[in-house]
Amino acid sequence: MLGFLPNNIALFQQACRHRSVSRRNQERGDNERLEFLGDAVLSTIVSDILYNTYKSKEEGFLSKTRSKIVQRETLNQVAKEIGLDRIIETSIHSQSHNNYTFGNALEAIIGAIYIDQGFERCRYIVEEAIIKKYIDIEKLARQEVNFKSRLIE
């Protein structure tokens, strides 16, 4: 799916297991801890990419652009495009409003990649197999998402 073979497949199985499923089988665990880690790793990778791509832009632009990339809606969409929606173990209805199960699982997968492959390999995989393939940074950077702030400005 992301172009590499994991060393520890159990990490990736856990990353694909939502807490709604793991509650029934306590010893298998869920993806929430990996999601926590993946969120931080993804934010670091995206920050580094933006910092090096937009050398003349200020902190406000970089922060806004990063938040557009790592927001739940974007990650949910990328997770579906990658095909995570077909392999996530969950008992939550996937069409429910504000359901970010797939985006959360993508963060958990990134956490699993980080543990399994190390930071440098994780950064490469995230940049090449996710960001360059599924996220148009230029388009997101120009996209207005906070209309209330814009109106106030």
Side-chain angles (χ1 to χ4, degrees):
M1 192 177 280
L2 294 174
F4 74 98
L5 292 173
N7 295 316
N8 182 353
I9 194 71
L11 269 174
F12 294 87
Q13 290 169 331
Q14 183 177 351
C16 292
R17 190 175 312 114
H18 188 264
R19 71 175 174 210
S20 64
V21 173
S22 70
R23 283 186 185 150
R24 287 185 243 149
N25 189 346
Q26 294 292 332
E27 64 269 2
R28 287 182 22 182
D30 62 45
N31 66 2
E32 288 186 339
R33 286 175 50 84
L34 288 169
E35 176 191 339
F36 164 79
L37 180 60
D39 175 56
V41 171
L42 178 62
S43 186
T44 300
I45 292 169
V46 169
S47 296
D48 185 57
I49 291 168
L50 294 174
Y51 183 84
N52 289 305
T53 300
Y54 298 102
K55 295 185 185 295
S56 65
K57 297 291 186 177
E58 294 186 16
E59 183 270 340
F61 170 85
L62 298 172
S63 291
K64 287 178 186 177
T65 304
R66 180 186 58 207
S67 72
K68 292 174 195 175
I69 294 170
V70 301
Q71 71 179 332
R72 295 289 178 229
E73 292 83 4
T74 303
L75 297 181
N76 234 29
Q77 185 60 41
V78 169
K80 290 175 187 176
E81 290 179 37
I82 289 172
L84 278 180
D85 57 325
R86 296 187 305 269
I87 62 172
I88 300 300
E89 293 179 67
T90 183
S91 56
I92 293 179
H93 191 275
S94 64
Q95 301 301 321
S96 62
H97 182 66
N98 289 339
N99 180 5
Y100 302 118
T101 303
F102 306 135
N104 293 343
L106 179 58
E107 288 179 333
I109 290 287
I110 292 168
I113 296 169
Y114 171 75
I115 292 170
D116 188 67
Q117 302 285 310
F119 181 77
E120 287 304 320
R121 181 82 173 126
C122 180
R123 185 194 192 291
Y124 176 81
I125 292 166
V126 168
E127 186 171 7
E128 297 298 320
I130 296 174
I131 294 176
K132 285 184 178 178
K133 219 171 172 183
Y134 298 101
I135 298 175
D136 185 343
I137 293 177
E138 290 291 327
K139 181 179 176 185
L140 278 176
R142 291 187 309 268
Q143 186 179 34
E144 186 65 56
V145 293
N146 191 341
F147 300 107
K148 183 177 177 182
S149 291
R150 184 70 180 150
L151 180 61
I152 291 169
E153 286 175 13

